[in-house]
Amino acid sequence: MDRRAFLKIAAVGALAGGVQGISGPFSALAAGSDSSSDEAVRYMVADSHFHYVDFLQKTEGMDALLRAMGDAGVEHTMISGMPLVKKWDAAEPEEPRYYLDDNGRTYWYSATDFIVARRVMELPDQARSRFHPFICGFNATDKHAVLHVERMLEEYPGLWQGIGEVFGHRDDLTNLTYGETARANHPALDPVYDLAAQKNLPVNLHNNATSRNRLDRPIYVYEVQEALSRHPRTVIIWAHAGLSRMLDLDQPAYTGLLREMLTKHDNLYIDLSWLIFENYVLDPGSPGQVRPYWLTLISDFSDRFMIGSDNIGHFATYNQNITKYYLLLDALSPEKAGKVALTNFLSLLPG
C-alpha cells in the first residue's frame, strides 16, 4: 500500500470517532494532549502552515509550542522560520513587534533556517517525528536563492521536508521590503521549483491574487499560473488561497477561478491558513456557516485543501486558530474532513 492510500484510510479511522475524541492509527501521538482539553479536541490536525519565529526572529519556544499543539489536537506541523526580519530604525523610539508597527523596512534573513533546524534536531525522536521543517531563508528575487536551499539540504541531510513559505506579492510587506519585488514567477524561483521537484519537496507559496486597489480583477494570478505551468512536477501549496487582509474579491467568481486552476493544474494545492477562513470562507450573513460556494469547492477538491494556523512565534491564539476550522470540518463528510484536516498535507511530504 502506498503512502497516499494509507493516509486516506487513516483519515477515515481518525475521524470516525467524531466528538468521541481521538482514535485510529495515530492515537498514540495524542499522548501530549492535556486531559483538561481532550474533550474539546474533535479532530486530529496537521498544521500545514506555521512559523516558529516572528518578524523579529523571536519565539516562545518549543515547550510552549508542544503544549499548544497538544491542547489543539495538532499531531503534525509544518515548521518554518520567517524569511524576513524587521529592521529597528534609529528614528523609531520603540522596538517594533510586527512588520506593520512602523515604517522600518524588512530584509531577507537566512539564519532563520538554522534556528529551526537546531530546535527540531534537539527534540527526542518521538517529538521530532511530529515536525516537518521547510526551508524559507532565501531572497526570492536572488538568482542565487537555490544555492541556499542546496546548502541547507547538504548541511542537514534528511531533515527538510519542504520549501517555504516563499514570499511573493504580499500587500504592505512587499512595499516595506528592501530590493526587487518578489513574485511567484520570478526567474530566481525557477531553479528552486526544479530542485523541489527533484527532491520531492512541496513548496508553500504566498502570492496575493491581486493588489488591494485592483479588486475588480485578480491581476497577479497569472504569476502563479505561470509557475504551475512551467513546473508541472513541482507541488505548489498556494498559501491563503491567494487572498489577504484587504482582498475582498467577488467570492463566487474567485472560487470559480480557483476551480478552473485546480482542474487544470494537478500540482496545485491550497491552504486556508491565516485570516482567510474567517474573512472569506465563512458566511458573514449566516454566523457559523461556510459560504456555499466555498464549501462546494472544498468538497469537490477535498484532496487538494489543507488548514493551518499561520501563527508566528507566539501561541496565545494557537488553539482558536486551529479549532475555528471545526465549522468547515463538521460540514464535510468524515472522509473528506480527514483529508483536509490531516492527511492531504502529510501525503505531500517526501518519504
Side-chain angles (χ1 to χ4, degrees), residues 155-234:
E155 187 72 20
Y156 301 99
L159 176 70
W160 304 105
Q161 298 183 39
I163 297 172
E165 182 183 8
V166 178
F167 284 173
H169 281 289
R170 277 208 50 147
D171 290 350
D172 301 280
L173 186 56
T174 290
N175 299 330
L176 288 171
T177 300
Y178 283 109
E180 186 182 350
T181 297
R183 49 190 170 87
N185 62 344
H186 195 287
L189 291 179
D190 286 326
V192 175
Y193 293 139
D194 289 340
L195 181 62
Q198 178 187 340
K199 300 294 185 180
N200 196 27
L201 301 174
V203 177
N204 184 289
L205 170 70
H206 183 133
N207 201 89
N208 285 1
T210 192
S211 172
R212 66 175 58 175
N213 288 330
R214 300 286 187 181
L215 301 183
D216 57 328
R217 63 192 186 283
I219 61 173
Y220 297 141
V221 168
Y222 82 94
E223 297 171 345
V224 178
Q225 292 172 322
E226 285 188 3
L228 291 163
S229 296
R230 291 207 301 254
H231 304 278
R233 294 178 53 247
T234 304

Side-chain angles (χ1 to χ4, degrees), residues 44-346:
M44 284 196 299
V45 171
D47 184 348
S48 71
H49 191 136
F50 173 80
H51 300 275
Y52 182 65
V53 295
D54 62 18
F55 282 93
L56 297 181
Q57 304 297 316
K58 295 182 178 181
T59 180
E60 292 176 7
M62 191 60 75
D63 288 343
L65 172 57
L66 284 165
R67 286 194 297 271
M69 289 170 60
D71 290 343
V74 173
E75 304 306 337
H76 294 268
T77 185
M78 170 269 208
I79 184 169
S80 67
M82 184 63 69
L84 292 166
V85 65
K86 174 78 169 181
K87 180 176 180 286
W88 187 1
D89 281 348
E92 296 294 340
E94 296 185 6
E95 180 185 17
R97 297 182 178 180
Y98 190 54
Y99 72 86
L100 290 174
D101 282 354
D102 58 39
N103 292 325
R105 308 295 291 277
T106 62
Y107 57 93
W108 304 96
Y109 193 75
S110 294
T112 197
D113 289 332
F114 291 95
I115 295 172
V116 168
R118 289 180 179 180
R119 296 296 82 81
V120 171
M121 292 180 69
E122 289 171 352
L123 292 169
D125 291 345
Q126 184 177 7
R128 190 190 306 175
S129 67
R130 300 172 64 184
F131 292 92
H132 308 283
F134 278 42
I135 300 167
C136 71
F138 54 87
N139 183 335
T141 68
D142 182 357
K143 292 174 71 173
H144 279 141
V146 70
L147 298 182
H148 173 80
V149 179
E150 290 172 344
R151 291 186 195 108
M152 289 298 99
L153 293 172
E154 293 171 4
E155 187 72 20
Y156 301 99
L159 176 70
W160 304 105
Q161 298 183 39
I163 297 172
E165 182 183 8
V166 178
F167 284 173
H169 281 289
R170 277 208 50 147
D171 290 350
D172 301 280
L173 186 56
T174 290
N175 299 330
L176 288 171
T177 300
Y178 283 109
E180 186 182 350
T181 297
R183 49 190 170 87
N185 62 344
H186 195 287
L189 291 179
D190 286 326
V192 175
Y193 293 139
D194 289 340
L195 181 62
Q198 178 187 340
K199 300 294 185 180
N200 196 27
L201 301 174
V203 177
N204 184 289
L205 170 70
H206 183 133
N207 201 89
N208 285 1
T210 192
S211 172
R212 66 175 58 175
N213 288 330
R214 300 286 187 181
L215 301 183
D216 57 328
R217 63 192 186 283
I219 61 173
Y220 297 141
V221 168
Y222 82 94
E223 297 171 345
V224 178
Q225 292 172 322
E226 285 188 3
L228 291 163
S229 296
R230 291 207 301 254
H231 304 278
R233 294 178 53 247
T234 304
V235 169
I236 294 179
I237 305 169
W238 196 5
H240 327 305
L243 297 171
S244 190
R245 282 190 184 91
M246 302 178 184
L247 301 187
D248 192 7
L249 299 164
D250 180 329
Q251 292 297 302
Y254 189 66
T255 51
L257 174 60
L258 292 177
R259 178 179 292 275
E260 293 176 6
M261 294 177 67
L262 287 163
T263 300
K264 181 178 180 180
H265 301 287
D266 292 339
N267 55 329
L268 172 62
Y269 292 75
I270 292 174
D271 88 40
L272 298 173
S273 63
W274 196 27
L275 45 72
I276 304 314
F277 183 71
E278 53 266 47
N279 281 18
Y280 305 118
V281 178
L282 289 183
D283 189 342
S286 302
Q289 300 294 315
V290 178
R291 283 173 160 167
Y293 34 87
W294 271 105
L295 181 59
T296 300
L297 177 68
I298 295 168
S299 181
D300 289 348
F301 291 90
S302 61
D303 290 326
R304 313 277 285 283
F305 281 87
M306 56 198 70
I307 57 178
S309 67
D310 202 16
N311 272 81
I312 55 170
H314 306 277
F315 317 127
T317 62
Y318 189 82
N319 190 289
Q320 68 190 59
N321 283 334
I322 293 296
T323 58
K324 67 184 181 183
Y325 296 109
Y326 285 5
L327 294 170
L328 169 63
L329 301 176
D330 287 346
L332 296 168
S333 71
E335 180 184 3
K336 292 180 178 181
K339 294 176 182 178
V340 173
L342 181 67
T343 60
N344 285 347
F345 173 70
L346 296 180

